[in-house]
């Protein structure tokens, strides 16, 4: 296991001039023009966030607690994807719909009690058609009951430090004390997008369930921007009479992925128009600069009692920043802070330290460093030879 970052660690500076960034002229003629920018005029709350960095590019009442309607299912899908990664469930395994799941009103795929569908089919029903019955069926399959799954949702909200979020159901149907914020939804979406496979579902515009049967069901994505805005491949709509029209969208262009959240629009047309304007604003005015790529070897760390004497240390994720177009950075420096050593055995991906990126004294980004390979234990014979060699060296 690794020593904690607070003990037995060596700090050293690795100062590197990476590149000089030269961009086009700034989009805004002056700061006042940018200050007066107004997006999402019709909405109660909105935010634009870049996914890799979490940088907020625009916000309006981002921390106002509001009913999320079916955008609740972003958290539902996140827990489904986590269960798939842990192999607690499989995409091809059958789920039997309970009476409770089949009784859900609102948006649905019309499950019948006792009907069986695969996790894959139900996930498609949630992501594309916003099926409340599909959402509850998956929740019960993962946690046993919807109530136990809701506890997992709130536990995950705590883990993500979503201080203005509380769930009372898996679907988004109106209930007292069921609320979140634009900012919290952006963070949930950021966590969900770590599982790139989810985009295989949220990017579907139309498909079928029960195909070839007399109960064939046509799925059409409630997020029309999937078809009508280049680069949009998710994420989730929501509507109730209380919440009005909501949309969390994500799109990727020129190596930058952004999330937009819009809450409380007056109509689907206004919701889509204002989301389009936010997407346009993000892509037209900002660009992502990658400081170092995921998997890039940053350093090596000594291994105590290991099969090898050192293992490479790499970036767990891309290190990047988002800059206004026209912004120049003359140089970027790195400060690497890693553990003194790792004690074998240690798994690949174990935490090993952090790397910080600076523009002068301004910290631009901080990313975790991990072991790039497993630190395997040395055999007793190898350890004996090393000890003998060390003793021989001391005697000579």
């Amino acid at each position: 296991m690794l020593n904690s970052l607070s003990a037995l660690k060596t700090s050293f500076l690795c100062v590197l001039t990476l590149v000089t960034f030269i961009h086009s002229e700034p989009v805004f003629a002056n700061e006042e023009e940018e200050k007066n920018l107004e997006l999402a005029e019709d909405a109660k709350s909105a935010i634009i966030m870049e996914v890799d960095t979490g940088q907020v590019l625009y916000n309006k009442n981002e921390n106002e607690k509001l009913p999320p309607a079916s955008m609740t299912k972003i958290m539902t899908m996140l827990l489904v994807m986590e269960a798939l990664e842990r192999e607690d469930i499989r995409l091809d395994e059958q789920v039997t719909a309970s009476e409770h799941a089949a009784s859900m009103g609102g948006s649905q795929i019309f499950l019948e009690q006792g009907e069986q569908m695969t996790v894959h089919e139900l996930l498609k029903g949630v992501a594309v058609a916003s099926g409340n019955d599909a959402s509850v069926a998956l929740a019960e399959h993962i946690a046993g009951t919807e109530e136990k799954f809701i506890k997992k949702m709130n536990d995950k909200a705590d883990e993500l430090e979503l201080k203005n979020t509380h769930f009372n159901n898996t679907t988004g149907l109106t209930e007292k004390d069921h609320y979140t914020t634009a900012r919290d939804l952006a963070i949930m979406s950021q966590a969900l997008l770590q599982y790139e496979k989810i985009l295989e579902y949220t990017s579907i515009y139309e498909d079928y369930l029960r195909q070839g049967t007399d109960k064939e069901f046509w799925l059409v994505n409630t997020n029309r921007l999937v078809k009508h805005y280049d680069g949009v491949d998710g994420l989730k709509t929501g509507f109730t009479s209380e919440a009005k029209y909501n949309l969390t969208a994500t799109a990727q262009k020129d190596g930058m992925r952004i999330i937009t959240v819009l809450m409380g629009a007056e109509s689907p047309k206004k919701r889509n128009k204002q989301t389009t304007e936010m997407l346009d604003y993000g892509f037209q005015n900002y660009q992502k600069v990658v400081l170092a790529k995921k998997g890039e070897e940053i350093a090596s760390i000594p291994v105590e009692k290991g099969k090898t004497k050192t293992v490479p240390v790499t970036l767990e994720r891309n290190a990047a920043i988002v800059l206004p177009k026209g912004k120049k950075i003359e140089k970027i420096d790195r400060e690497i802070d890693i553990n003194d050593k790792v004690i074998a055995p240690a798994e690949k991906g174990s935490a090993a330290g952090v790397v910080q990126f600076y523009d002068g004294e301004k910290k631009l980004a901080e990313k975790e460093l991990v072991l790039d390979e497993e630190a395997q234990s040395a055999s007793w014979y190898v350890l004996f030879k090393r000890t003998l060699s060390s003793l021989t060296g001391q005697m000579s």
Side-chain angles (χ1 to χ4, degrees):
M1 296 179 62
L2 287 173
N3 296 324
S4 68
L5 293 178
S6 61
L8 293 174
K9 64 183 181 181
T10 300
S11 299
F12 56 94
L13 294 179
C14 179
V15 179
L16 299 173
T17 299
L18 299 181
V19 286
T20 297
F21 299 110
I22 301 176
H23 306 305
S24 58
E25 289 300 308
V27 172
F28 297 100
N30 54 60
E31 291 184 4
E32 191 63 28
E33 185 178 346
E34 185 170 5
K35 181 180 178 181
N36 292 333
L37 173 73
E38 183 62 47
L39 294 171
E41 294 182 27
D42 175 57
K44 292 180 180 178
S45 178
I47 195 170
I48 306 173
M49 178 185 286
E50 196 280 322
V51 172
D52 256 7
T53 63
Q55 284 180 241
V56 174
L57 310 182
Y58 175 81
N59 77 82
K60 174 185 176 181
N61 303 328
E62 61 177 347
N63 292 315
E64 182 178 351
K65 294 178 182 177
L66 294 167
S70 281
M71 292 194 299
T72 297
K73 297 183 178 84
I74 293 171
M75 179 61 86
T76 303
M77 290 189 289
L78 173 57
L79 294 185
V80 171
M81 297 310 294
E82 288 185 343
L84 286 166
E85 184 181 55
R86 291 193 304 267
E87 298 183 350
D88 292 344
I89 60 173
R90 302 186 320 275
L91 284 171
D92 62 353
E93 72 185 44
Q94 295 287 331
V95 178
T96 303
S98 69
E99 180 182 4
H100 175 56
S103 72
M104 289 295 107
S107 301
Q108 55 186 302
I109 59 171
F110 299 97
L111 285 174
E112 296 181 1
Q113 182 181 355
E115 181 178 5
Q116 289 192 323
M117 281 192 181
T118 64
V119 170
H120 165 71
E121 291 170 321
L122 290 172
L123 186 53
K124 193 160 53 173
V126 173
V128 181
S130 195
N132 294 330
D133 46 2
S135 183
V136 172
L138 283 169
E140 292 177 334
H141 185 67
I142 290 170
T145 66
E146 186 184 17
E147 290 72 23
K148 290 180 180 178
F149 190 86
I150 293 165
K151 183 180 184 306
K152 288 179 178 289
M153 294 170 72
N154 286 312
D155 288 346
K156 188 64 181 181
D158 289 341
E159 180 186 325
L160 293 173
E161 299 182 354
L162 308 181
K163 301 184 186 304
N164 296 304
T165 293
H166 186 265
F167 298 110
N168 271 341
N169 59 56
T170 67
T171 61
L173 292 171
T174 301
E175 275 193 63
K176 184 181 178 181
D177 294 329
H178 186 91
Y179 56 82
T180 187
T181 67
R183 184 179 186 87
D184 284 1
L185 279 164
I187 294 169
M188 277 181 241
S189 302
Q190 185 186 28
L192 176 59
L193 289 169
Q194 292 179 40
Y195 302 95
E196 293 183 6
K197 191 168 183 65
I198 194 63
L199 295 172
E200 295 178 17
Y201 294 88
T202 60
S203 62
I204 296 170
Y205 184 70
E206 59 180 334
D207 206 335
Y208 291 89
L209 293 174
R210 310 180 186 92
Q211 196 162 12
T213 74
D214 58 357
K215 294 182 180 179
E216 186 172 274
F217 186 74
W218 183 36
L219 300 173
V220 180
N221 203 319
T222 55
N223 179 8
R224 299 294 189 259
L225 295 187
V226 165
K227 183 174 183 179
H228 298 295
Y229 190 101
D230 184 35
V232 169
D233 49 11
L235 203 54
K236 193 72 201 70
T237 59
F239 169 77
T240 63
S241 56
E242 181 186 16
K244 297 190 178 179
Y245 293 90
N246 305 283
L247 174 56
T248 297
T250 185
Q252 181 168 279
K253 288 185 180 182
D254 299 324
M256 182 173 75
R257 176 173 289 281
I258 63 176
I259 296 163
T260 65
V261 182
L262 185 89
M263 303 185 76
E266 291 294 332
S267 70
K269 184 176 180 180
K270 289 182 177 180
R271 172 185 68 185
N272 293 344
K273 177 179 180 292
Q274 291 170 100
T275 296
T276 295
E277 290 170 350
M278 289 198 294
L279 289 166
D280 285 345
Y281 171 76
F283 288 121
Q284 290 171 6
N285 293 285
Y286 294 91
Q287 64 178 0
K288 185 176 76 174
V289 177
V290 177
L291 309 176
K293 291 184 178 180
K294 174 181 177 180
E296 179 181 327
E297 185 173 339
I298 301 296
S300 61
I301 189 169
V303 181
E304 184 176 309
K305 299 180 180 179
K307 187 175 181 179
T308 59
K309 292 184 178 180
T310 64
V311 292
V313 171
T314 62
L315 278 167
E316 184 181 31
R317 296 182 190 173
N318 283 348
I321 56 170
V322 176
L323 297 174
K325 289 183 177 179
K327 173 74 174 179
K328 296 180 181 180
I329 296 182
E330 298 303 329
K331 71 173 185 177
I332 298 174
D333 301 327
R334 296 181 182 182
E335 181 176 330
I336 304 170
D337 189 358
I338 64 171
N339 281 15
D340 178 60
K341 61 184 176 182
V342 57
I343 301 175
E347 294 181 357
K348 178 180 178 179
S350 298
V354 295
V355 57
Q356 298 170 331
F357 298 84
Y358 287 88
D359 175 18
E361 295 184 358
K362 180 183 178 182
K363 184 163 76 171
L364 301 173
E366 178 175 309
K367 290 294 178 182
E368 187 172 3
L369 297 172
V370 296
L371 300 186
D372 191 47
E373 58 190 48
E374 180 186 359
Q376 298 180 349
S377 298
S379 66
W380 68 267
Y381 178 69
V382 169
L383 291 174
F384 173 74
K385 283 184 66 178
R386 287 180 188 167
T387 302
L388 184 61
S389 177
S390 176
L391 291 172
T392 303
Q394 291 176 15
M395 293 171 62
S396 62

